[in-house]
């Protein structure tokens, strides 16, 4: 066969990217032909699919990639990024990375150790690796798909050859992810000469599990069977317990999964927006505001548009400063109506101009607080409705107050679907100890964990660190926890009610107070789970955990950090944070 370049005319109407793809395609066919001639057997290759996930989407896509690879006659495995060392990576031939981005551009919990090792000066060269990266993210954040961008760039820096350009998916990731998957796997099959279930390929015995028919496009209309206030009526916080009837949906779930709730916007806010815009409250545009557009949190597109329309306005001045922290501070608490009211009516967008600038209204995910073994026909949630005031405005969380106030009460249908979270669940070993740290509504999955272990008759010890502001008003599920303690299911219960004494006490305070016992549980093989606020609580808990290990081992901070890293690699330290 003549040189690859000779097969593509210089005046061919292809872009540089298309020419690169064709060159790789032709070269792959030629190489496959040479290998087949030499061996007489259908060629095969192994595809290593590495995923970084926080909520399970990237892991699901990784499983689908493996199934697709095997269907094309390629061997394939899916592995969490943290389970792979740089040396193992260097020994791989074809690598597909699927990763989400967590927080402010951070790697997911099961990918952080991989990234630390990959950016180290001691990371090996990767000239023998062919790779492609798929990112999952949300364009509403400045660091959109930052984790995928970092890994993609670093792999290239280390000499790996890009098999296909990275694709960064927004919150509606299904279609672009499917297109990327098909393109990459077809190209791999062409390059390696794999066809069908080629010789040596693994049988597709562990293909991706079937996807539920209930999803964000077709949510299940579940009957809201229970809507109950958990916190005391005079508490400064409002925490509610919900139960959703699964009926004949066929929905299954695991303790640790999340339930996505598809909300409708507050009719009062929709009405105020329409009135401000001078628009009719009927028609397709008004319907979109109610059901399909995010009107609580201003989008980046709307902010940019309004700043351009009013370059001398306050918003434009903040945007011009160029610092994210200043813009975030200015936007805190403000919604779309606030921004429109601050815009000169003569330059403000009309309703038809506004709609394309609004993000799609997204389902909100909540940690499930029940176990399918104890409650097979229902899913429970533990949610704190968001409500606050500023000036003459009252603000409310979109989904949290939809559940509390606007579903029409118990018995009304709410659109829901399950979001699996394979990395956050009860230990498979019923004898393994379990430490759960979840203040406030962070208790949700751990209530499900405890019910799960009780139903399984698990012998493993269970320790819960829980807290909130006041014991009298905020000790949710107190009766249940007391009963589980009396039955021996809940071995240890440490409580931290921060406002019940002069000095504030938090769950991390209790962890440090019981440092010796907590380290003993870790040495006995305990799995540690954290659920709740990512910005402060989860970081403070991790700092406390590192302090406990450093104090008890007496080998310094670096040793404690490596000890915790080993727990992560073994999936014995996992978090469900938001």
């Amino acid at each position: 066969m003549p040189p690859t370049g000779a097969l593509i005319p210089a005046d061919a109407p292809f872009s540089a990217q298309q020419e690169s793809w064709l060159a790789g395609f032709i070269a792959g066919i030629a190489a496959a032909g040479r290998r087949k001639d030499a061996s007489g057997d259908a060629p095969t290759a192994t595809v290593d699919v590495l995923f970084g996930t926080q909520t399970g989407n990237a892991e699901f896509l990784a499983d689908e990639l493996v199934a697709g690879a095997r269907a094309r006659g390629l061997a394939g495995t899916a592995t969490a990024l943290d389970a792979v060392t740089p040396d193992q990576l260097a020994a791989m031939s074809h690598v597909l990375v699927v990763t989400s981005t967590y927080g402010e551009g951070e790697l997911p919990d099961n990918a952080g150790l991989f990234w630390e090792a990959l950016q180290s000066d001691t990371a090996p060269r990767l000239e023998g690796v062919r790779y492609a990266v798929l990112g999952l993210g949300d364009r509403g954040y400045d660091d959109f798909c930052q984790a995928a961008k970092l890994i993609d760039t670093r792999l290239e820096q280390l000499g790996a050859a890009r098999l296909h350009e990275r694709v960064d998916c927004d919150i509606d990731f299904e279609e672009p992810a499917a297109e990327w998957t098909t393109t990459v796997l077809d190209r791999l099959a062409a390059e390696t000469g794999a066809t069908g279930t080629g010789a040596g390929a693994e049988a597709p015995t562990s293909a991706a599990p079937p996807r539920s028919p209930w999803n964000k496009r077709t949510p299940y209309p579940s009957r809201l069977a229970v809507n109950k206030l958990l916190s005391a009526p005079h508490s400064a916080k409002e925490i509610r317990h919900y139960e959703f009837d699964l009926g004949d949906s066929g929905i299954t779930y695991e303790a640790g999964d999340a339930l996505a709730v598809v909300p409708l916007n507050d009719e009062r806010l929709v009405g105020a927006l329409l009135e401000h815009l001078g628009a009719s409250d009927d028609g397709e545009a008004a319907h979109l505001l109610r059901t399909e557009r995010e009107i609580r949190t201003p989008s980046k597109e709307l902010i940019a548009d309004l700043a351009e329309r009013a370059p001398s306005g306050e918003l434009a001045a903040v945007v011009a400063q160029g610092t994210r922290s200043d813009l975030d501070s200015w936007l805190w608490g403000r919604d779309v109506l606030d921004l429109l009211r601050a815009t000169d009516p003569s330059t403000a967008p009309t309703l038809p101009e506004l709609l394309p600038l609004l993000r799609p209204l997204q389902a909100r995910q909540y940690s499930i607080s029940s176990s399918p073994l104890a409650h097979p026909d229902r899913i429970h949630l533990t949610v704190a409705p968001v409500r606050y005031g500023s000036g003459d405005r009252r603000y409310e969380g979109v989904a949290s107050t939809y559940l509390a106030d606007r579903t029409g009460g118990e018995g009304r249908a709410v659109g829901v679907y399950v979001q699996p979270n394979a990395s956050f669940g009860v230990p498979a070993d019923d004898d393994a100890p379990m430490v759960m740290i979840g203040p406030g509504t962070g208790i949700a999955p751990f209530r499900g964990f405890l019910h799960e272990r009780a139903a399984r008759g698990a012998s493993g010890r269970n320790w819960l660190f829980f807290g909130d502001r006041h014991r009298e008003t905020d000790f949710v599920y107190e009766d249940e926890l007391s009963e589980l303690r009396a039955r021996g299911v809940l071995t240890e219960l440490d409580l931290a009610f921060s406002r019940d004494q002069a000095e504030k006490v938090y769950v991390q305070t209790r962890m440090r107070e019981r440092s010796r016992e907590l380290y003993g549980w870790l040495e006995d093989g305990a799995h540690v789970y954290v659920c709740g606020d990512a910005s402060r609580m989860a970081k403070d808990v991790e700092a406390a955990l590192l302090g406990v290990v450093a104090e008890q081992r007496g080998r310094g901070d670096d040793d404690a950090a490596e000890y915790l890293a080993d727990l992560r690699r073994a999936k014995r330290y996992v978090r469900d944070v938001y």
Side-chain angles (χ1 to χ4, degrees):
M1 177 173 276
T4 300
L7 298 177
I8 304 176
D11 59 348
F14 299 129
S15 67
Q17 181 177 345
Q18 289 169 329
E19 286 191 13
S20 175
W21 191 95
L22 284 169
F25 181 86
I26 295 168
I29 292 176
R34 289 192 296 270
R35 287 193 299 270
K36 186 170 183 179
D37 290 342
S39 67
D41 295 324
T44 61
T46 296
V47 179
D48 286 283
V49 183
L50 312 181
F51 62 88
T53 189
Q54 198 71 28
T55 63
N57 285 329
E59 183 172 5
F60 184 89
L61 290 176
D63 287 338
E64 288 195 326
L65 273 166
V66 170
R70 291 174 177 173
R72 290 164 172 81
L74 299 162
T77 58
T79 310
L81 281 163
D82 271 359
V84 176
T85 67
D87 287 340
Q88 290 172 329
L89 178 66
M92 298 173 181
S93 60
H94 299 86
V95 175
L96 305 181
V97 177
V98 185
T99 184
S100 61
T101 295
Y102 155 74
E104 298 299 331
E106 301 168 30
L107 274 292
D109 276 0
N110 70 340
L113 296 175
F114 171 85
W115 173 241
E116 289 179 12
L118 194 67
Q119 63 179 333
S120 168
D121 292 339
T122 61
R125 298 294 298 173
L126 303 174
E127 271 79 6
V129 178
R130 297 270 282 159
Y131 78 96
V133 177
L134 178 69
L136 305 182
D138 181 345
R139 290 190 186 278
Y141 291 91
D142 289 340
D143 294 315
F144 172 61
C145 286
Q146 182 68 9
K149 294 172 182 176
L150 290 172
I151 291 176
D152 184 40
T153 300
R154 184 57 176 160
L155 291 176
E156 183 181 41
Q157 290 172 345
L158 292 173
R162 192 176 283 109
L163 174 71
H164 185 67
E165 291 299 315
R166 186 190 71 250
V167 168
D168 298 329
C169 301
D170 203 354
I171 43 184
D172 292 325
F173 64 86
E174 288 85 356
E175 289 186 10
E179 182 179 347
W180 180 89
T181 295
T182 299
T183 301
V184 169
L185 291 179
D186 284 350
R187 183 170 186 180
L188 269 172
E191 287 195 6
T192 60
T195 57
T197 53
E202 299 176 42
T205 55
S206 58
R211 188 181 287 250
S212 169
W214 309 112
N215 51 56
K216 59 186 174 184
R217 289 188 174 85
T218 57
Y220 174 65
S222 175
R223 181 177 66 89
L224 181 58
V226 174
N227 176 353
K228 179 175 67 177
L229 182 66
L230 288 177
S231 50
H234 55 289
S235 171
K237 300 181 68 176
E238 177 186 355
I239 301 179
R240 308 192 76 86
H241 174 87
Y242 302 103
E243 297 184 14
F244 294 87
D245 191 339
L246 299 180
D248 60 355
S249 66
I251 288 176
T252 59
Y253 71 100
E254 301 291 339
D257 287 347
L259 186 72
V261 174
V262 181
L264 299 176
N265 280 317
D266 185 354
E267 188 64 37
R268 293 169 299 179
L269 180 55
V270 172
L273 268 171
L274 292 170
E275 181 181 0
H276 178 81
L277 294 167
S280 170
D281 64 357
D282 56 11
E284 180 64 20
H287 175 72
L288 288 174
L289 280 186
R290 292 183 172 93
T291 62
E292 296 186 24
R293 293 292 185 271
E294 177 65 66
I295 60 176
R296 181 65 188 85
T297 304
S299 68
K300 292 170 64 176
E301 293 79 7
L302 177 62
I303 293 168
D305 180 83
L306 294 181
E308 184 178 350
R309 288 171 182 269
S312 59
E314 183 179 0
L315 174 59
V318 176
V319 170
Q321 291 176 4
T323 64
R324 184 173 63 189
S325 59
D326 287 340
L327 180 60
D328 288 346
S329 177
W330 188 86
L331 288 172
W332 193 92
R334 288 181 163 95
D335 59 14
V336 171
L337 180 58
D338 287 323
L339 266 62
L340 291 178
R341 284 180 171 176
T343 304
D344 187 329
S346 65
T347 62
T350 63
L351 180 55
E353 292 171 331
L354 174 67
L355 288 174
L357 300 173
L358 302 178
R359 302 278 289 157
L361 180 60
Q362 293 298 305
R364 268 56 170 182
Q365 295 182 17
Y366 299 101
S367 299
I368 292 174
S369 56
S370 55
S371 159
L373 297 183
H375 303 96
D377 301 322
R378 288 189 178 184
I379 287 180
H380 299 182
L381 296 184
T382 308
V383 180
V386 176
R387 310 178 195 273
Y388 63 95
S390 177
D392 62 345
R393 293 285 312 277
R394 295 294 302 173
Y395 300 89
E396 297 181 339
V398 178
S400 63
T401 58
Y402 170 67
L403 288 175
D405 306 334
R406 304 196 306 277
T407 60
E410 294 178 358
R412 296 294 295 271
V414 176
V416 299
Y417 59 92
V418 170
Q419 178 65 57
N421 189 350
S423 64
F424 195 85
V426 174
D429 180 2
D430 283 344
D431 296 331
M434 188 168 65
V435 177
M436 300 158 286
I437 306 163
T441 55
I443 195 176
F446 304 139
R447 176 179 182 264
F449 282 17
L450 290 168
H451 283 300
E452 177 87 2
R453 289 208 121 177
R456 280 160 55 165
S459 59
R461 295 170 293 159
N462 304 301
W463 188 348
L464 174 65
F465 289 88
F466 170 75
D468 212 311
R469 294 182 179 179
H470 299 285
R471 178 170 185 146
E472 180 185 357
T473 58
D474 306 318
F475 192 175
V476 298
Y477 298 121
E478 179 178 8
D479 292 343
E480 281 190 28
L481 294 176
S482 298
E483 180 189 359
L484 290 166
R485 188 86 187 276
R487 290 166 55 190
V489 176
L490 182 54
T491 314
E492 299 285 346
L493 175 62
D494 276 77
L495 302 171
F497 293 99
S498 60
R499 305 316 199 263
D500 278 352
Q501 59 284 310
E503 182 180 354
K504 291 182 180 178
V505 174
Y506 300 104
V507 288
Q508 58 267 28
T509 311
R510 300 303 186 209
M511 291 169 62
R512 294 189 182 97
E513 289 173 352
R514 303 201 61 185
S515 176
R516 182 176 60 82
E517 297 96 326
L518 182 54
Y519 179 70
W521 278 53
L522 295 179
E523 286 291 277
D524 289 342
H527 291 237
V528 181
Y529 302 88
V530 181
C531 182
D533 169 58
S535 61
R536 296 185 60 181
M537 184 279 297
K539 293 179 180 178
D540 291 341
V541 164
E542 181 157 316
L545 197 55
L546 286 167
V548 166
V549 174
E551 175 189 328
Q552 296 301 313
R553 288 172 65 84
R555 302 177 188 174
D557 293 342
D558 290 344
D559 172 78
E562 185 56 32
Y563 187 95
L564 202 62
D566 286 340
L567 293 182
R568 286 189 191 274
R569 294 187 189 100
K571 298 183 179 180
R572 286 178 47 208
Y573 173 45
V574 293
R575 309 188 305 170
D576 180 12
V577 296
Y578 40 85

